[in-house]
Amino acid sequence: MSEMTYRDALNLALREELRRDPSVVVWGEDVALYEGSFKVTRGLLAEFGEERIRDTPISENTIVGVAIGAAMGGLRPVAELMTVNFALLAMDQIVNHMAKIRSMFGGQASLPLVVRMPGGGGSQLAAQHSQSLESYFMHCPGIRVAYPATPADAKGLLKTAIRDPNPVIFLEHELLYNSKGEVPDDPEFTVPFGRAGILRAGTDVTIVAYARMAVLALQAAEALEKEAGISCEVVDLRTLNPLDAETFVASARKTGRAVVVEECWRSAGLGGDLAHRIHEACFDSLRAPVRRVAGLDVPMPYSRELEKLCIPQVESIAVAVRDVMTASV
Amino acid sequence: MEARLRAVLPDHDLVRLYEQMVLSREFEESCAEQYAKGHITGFLHLYSGQEAVAAGATAALHKDDYILSAYREHAQALVRGAEPKRVMSELFGKATGMCKGKGGSMHLFSAELNFMGGYAIVGGQLPIACGLAFSSRYRQEDRITACFFGDGAVNQGTFHESLNWARLWELPVLFICENNFYGIGTEVHRSSALPTVHKRTCGYDIPSEKVDGMDVLAVFKAVKYAAEKVRESGRPYFIEALTYRFRGHSMADPAKYRSAAEHEVWKARDPIPNYARRLLAEGIATEAQLAAIRDRCVALVAEAVSFAEASPWPAADEVWEDIYV
Ligand SMILES: Cc1ncc(C[n+]2csc(CCOP(=O)(O)OP(=O)(O)O)c2C)c(N)n1
Ligand SMILES: [Mg+2]
């Protein structure tokens, strides 16, 4: 084990997979010479050279499309979109092509490619640079969606994504890049897709979250234990597709109460789906309706004081937990 | 003065080009009948009139080269070697179709034939072609990628992004624009500021050429030259083939936006009878031989229809298959 940041863990995953498999190539805007706008690709050009680590034009749709073609031709491209906001320019290649090619061609092609994209809000980058679009990707069959919360998962999930024979949307939270944690050194360490993690065991309430929301949920759980003696079980989804509903449904059945936390907009957000799965599967064991904590349905404002109202915070998660503790059916 | 055919290809190959064009035409005309009978459903875009482009271009490529196209791609798959019956049963949506009935008319694909697919998002295949070309170069394979698309695709972002990218990364891609002068009902002059498509490539420093897409030998020669350039230089090349579709955009389109006079001009340039006349004039084939070829193609297509009719529907549990590996 070594202590490292989420950023360095991602960098290590890329480095190890580039070393292990010569068919892995990395490209995106400013990833080579500039070493990435969030420095996730630091040092890769120096170690692996111009043919494998490539800067691209600012052509998001084509960044993804070229990666699709390269994957069909036998490579394992890892494409970086500078942020998830710009993935909207690539939605045609992601949704109409990447997610469809295997199925519409009757299983004759496989697309082992990863599209990495930093995202999420909280840095006062205003409406066009603060979005959480995970529900968009989760909605679409044919692609896998991973979104790590911890440095260890950042490394293990990215390695799994690169080795996976399916196309993977790999989301990274911009506010987690500097977070630190213990990361296994073993170059064969991977984290399987479709298995949620229990970040904290508990008996009173289940909190279902992912990525930065899981980190905040954990902080809320610790405060609630200390201040109110409420024991929360925190489930980190790790991957949104495949979705490990079994783990959070079992947890909710055990505790009888659940709060679902999502950073994306509330309307048609993924939390509605998660909450519904809990209601449907354990209606009889629930002692209160499932609560949702979600982003506000507004374009993100710039001002710090307004922005923090729009993104779930430790406090808003704690309020929801106290609510389900007092509410009853 | 037209070049002598024999100066370009041996007799056998010249006759084969005729056969491929006839097969394509017979196949498409049969599709129209099957659509009228309700056996083929959904979107159906026929290639009648454009056969010289698919036949001439494909003959000029190597078997290992990748080919991608748009949604008007039955003929491109057939001349590449796809079995007519597997194409027809795909159009019928049957389990024996080349994509198990999941793709239909617009999404033919054969990994075995390096036919990397028909795509129905206008311009969507261009970036993918660049990626395939990159993989070939990276793996040091002696193969180029030929990417067909229509005149409608040239105003998409992917067209400009891909041309820039292919030249910037020095990718072995041969772009082939089939300019049939219409994107659905909109004539090129009404959609493109510069309707001479091949001139656009100067913005990306890609050499380009215009060719008569109603002349199979002209297409063959141009694509052969271009493919050699791409293979030698590892850089992209661009061909604009001027052609015409004899039918509407799709089965739903009666093509009222085109004048009868315009249609007649192009009908007179039908690539199949004109090429037959040249084969006869040069003594490459006899009337009887050409008639036998036509009969063979008609029989092959009839057999494809019977095969498709007799084939089973996909089983219900197929709906969950082939989405993830
Ligand atoms: C991105 C996108 N926009 C619109 C359409 C609808 N559409 C289908 S075919 C077509 C015209 C394309 O014309 P062209 O590229 O010249 O091909 P042709 O049909 O002439 O072979 C349009 C607009 C589409 N399929 N994809
Ligand atoms: Mg057209």
Side-chain angles (χ1 to χ4, degrees), chain A residues 182-210:
Chain A
E182 291 294 325
V183 176
D185 298 316
D186 179 6
E188 282 310 304
F189 162 75
T190 58
V191 173
F193 279 10
R195 228 172 289 164
I198 310 256
L199 295 186
R200 182 184 200 280
T203 52
D204 296 328
V205 184
T206 297
I207 310 179
V208 188
Y210 57 89

Side-chain angles (χ1 to χ4, degrees), chain B residues 6 15 279-287 289-290 293:
Chain B
R6 278 210 176 96
V15 173
L279 290 173
L280 294 171
E282 286 194 37
I284 293 160
T286 62
E287 277 285 10
Q289 284 167 328
L290 297 187
I293 286 173

Side-chain angles (χ1 to χ4, degrees), chain B residues 64-307:
Chain B
D64 280 346
D65 294 339
Y66 289 130
I67 296 178
L68 296 87
S69 189
Y71 46 81
R72 197 184 295 286
E73 90 292 24
H74 306 164
Q76 270 137 359
L78 290 170
V79 302
R80 186 56 164 186
E83 286 182 89
K85 60 182 189 178
R86 303 269 331 269
V87 180
M88 191 61 86
S89 61
E90 184 63 32
L91 272 48
F92 275 51
K94 297 295 185 75
T96 54
M98 66 193 294
C99 297
K100 306 186 192 172
K102 294 180 182 180
S105 163
M106 302 187 284
H107 304 302
L108 301 175
F109 186 98
S110 169
E112 205 181 313
L113 298 171
N114 292 312
F115 187 78
M116 304 311 276
Y119 297 81
I121 302 298
V122 171
Q125 71 274 34
L126 278 83
I128 299 174
C130 292
L132 281 160
F134 177 79
S135 75
S136 308
R137 190 190 73 195
Y138 187 89
R139 292 154 61 107
Q140 301 181 350
E141 298 165 339
D142 174 29
R143 108 163 80 214
I144 70 168
T145 297
C147 182
F148 293 92
F149 50 91
D151 48 279
V154 307
N155 297 315
Q156 281 287 22
T158 49
F159 173 86
H160 298 277
E161 293 181 8
S162 298
L163 262 62
N164 177 58
W165 196 301
R167 180 63 182 85
L168 184 73
W169 283 23
E170 309 220 323
L171 301 178
V173 193
L174 175 55
F175 295 103
I176 304 175
C177 178
E178 294 191 65
N179 184 354
N180 61 11
F181 298 94
Y182 291 87
I184 307 187
T186 302
E187 213 241 331
V188 174
H189 287 89
R190 293 161 60 84
S191 63
S192 285
L194 177 63
T196 32
V197 171
H198 66 282
K199 287 192 184 164
R200 292 175 170 228
T201 69
C202 67
Y204 306 104
D205 191 26
I206 295 176
S208 66
E209 200 177 320
K210 180 178 74 175
V211 63
D212 179 1
M214 304 306 266
D215 177 346
V216 69
L217 250 280
V219 174
F220 172 81
K221 283 202 294 189
V223 173
K224 188 148 182 65
Y225 174 82
E228 268 162 28
K229 283 278 166 219
V230 172
R231 230 177 282 280
E232 274 165 31
S233 67
R235 288 183 185 169
Y237 200 98
F238 189 105
I239 286 181
E240 175 186 8
L242 300 175
T243 182
Y244 199 75
R245 57 169 159 73
F246 290 161
R247 289 177 166 274
H249 167 71
S250 69
M251 296 311 286
D253 169 27
K256 295 220 168 103
Y257 43 84
R258 306 192 301 196
S259 70
E262 176 185 296
H263 197 92
E264 283 318 305
V265 168
W266 284 96
K267 258 317 232 190
R269 307 195 54 224
D270 188 329
I272 298 175
N274 282 328
Y275 185 61
R277 271 191 290 279
R278 291 168 69 187
L279 290 173
L280 294 171
E282 286 194 37
I284 293 160
T286 62
E287 277 285 10
Q289 284 167 328
L290 297 187
I293 286 173
R294 287 193 294 273
D295 290 347
R296 218 166 35 239
C297 292
V298 170
L300 207 55
V301 171
E303 190 190 312
V305 170
S306 315
F307 175 82

Side-chain angles (χ1 to χ4, degrees), chain A residues 22 25 51-52 54 56 59 61-62 65-66 69-70 72-74 92-93 97 102-106 108 142 166 241, chain B residues 98-100 102-103 107 109-111 119 121 124 127-128 131-132 134-135 137-139 158 161 165 169 322 324-325:
Chain A
V25 289
E51 182 71 349
R52 298 184 73 190
R54 309 185 66 100
T56 68
S59 306
N61 205 27
T62 294
V66 176
M72 286 168 89
D92 169 49
Q93 285 296 325
H97 296 85
R102 180 170 180 77
S103 164
M104 77 184 184
F105 296 145
Q108 292 181 80
N166 297 294
N241 178 349
Chain B
M98 66 193 294
C99 297
K100 306 186 192 172
K102 294 180 182 180
H107 304 302
F109 186 98
S110 169
Y119 297 81
I121 302 298
I128 299 174
L132 281 160
F134 177 79
S135 75
R137 190 190 73 195
Y138 187 89
R139 292 154 61 107
T158 49
E161 293 181 8
W165 196 301
W169 283 23
D322 301 322
Y324 301 101
V325 179

